[in-house]
Amino acid sequence: MTVSVVIPAYNATAFLERTVPAVLDLQGALEWIWVDDGSTDATGVELRRLTQGHPSVRILELGRNEGRAAARNAGIELAKGDWIACLDVDARPRPGYLLAHQEVFARPEAVVSMGSIHPADPVPGDPYSQYLSAYPRGVPSRQLVASWKHFVTCAACIRADALRSVGCFDESI
């Protein structure tokens, strides 16, 4: 079983120094797909700098800001893995994050595996960073099997064929 990690990024330079190394340190990924969602800052430049020389990284740059769902969908379209791990650019996965999901994937009935995600270290002066530090996202339990309709996308790994069969993410939400 293979896992593609898809990370949409919009005007995210403040987070990249903290999150890119944590994401690239994940064991068990086939590939990492970073989607620059039409950023107006140096997100694309920083992504290329921080991932330089990493053979399993692809960076997709959208010409304009399409929104997180559209950026995820674009990354999923490029993904080669059997499973898609969705991460947010401002989240820092724990070591072993993908391996824990893969334990769940071994169960034939598994469609989605959810875990908790910690936000990146706060960026001084950024109110969103302060909010994320106070309210970590994802379910507090280790991992669980759930219906594909009920998951926090930044803390989920989803079977790729299940995502594609329902049209991925509803961009109107």
Side-chain angles (χ1 to χ4, degrees):
M1 96 190 49
T2 56
V3 180
S4 296
V5 181
V6 176
I7 312 105
Y10 176 71
N11 289 347
T13 55
F15 297 104
L16 297 177
E17 287 282 344
R18 294 168 181 87
T19 58
V20 170
V23 170
L24 294 181
D25 282 345
L26 291 174
Q27 295 178 346
L30 168 70
E31 62 185 345
W32 291 263
I33 302 170
W34 296 84
V35 183
D36 180 357
D37 187 18
S39 296
T40 58
D41 67 359
T43 294
V45 171
E46 285 299 296
L47 281 173
R48 288 188 296 280
R49 180 181 72 81
L50 293 166
T51 62
Q52 185 175 359
H54 200 292
S56 300
V57 169
R58 291 194 281 166
I59 300 170
L60 172 63
E61 295 189 64
L62 302 181
R64 63 187 174 99
N65 181 246
E66 303 276 343
R68 194 177 310 180
R72 277 198 184 111
N73 288 343
I76 290 166
E77 286 302 314
L78 292 179
K80 297 176 184 173
D82 301 317
W83 291 81
I84 308 295
C86 297
L87 291 174
D88 284 349
V89 72
D90 57 359
R92 186 182 60 231
R94 295 177 184 153
Y97 177 78
L98 285 181
L99 298 177
H101 281 296
Q102 288 172 329
E103 288 177 27
V104 174
F105 300 161
R107 298 157 77 179
E109 73 278 11
V111 175
V112 173
S113 173
M114 294 187 292
S116 61
I117 291 286
H118 288 274
D121 298 327
V123 174
D126 179 25
Y128 185 57
S129 293
Q130 293 167 7
Y131 168 80
L132 292 175
S133 294
Y135 302 100
R137 293 167 290 168
V139 294
S141 61
R142 182 168 149 71
Q143 303 298 126
L144 59 98
V145 176
S147 162
W148 65 269
K149 294 180 181 180
H150 303 93
F151 59 88
V152 178
T153 58
C154 70
C157 291
I158 306 110
R159 210 174 61 217
D161 61 345
L163 270 177
R164 291 185 179 116
S165 73
V166 297
C168 296
F169 294 94
D170 183 349
E171 294 177 28
S172 67
I173 298 175

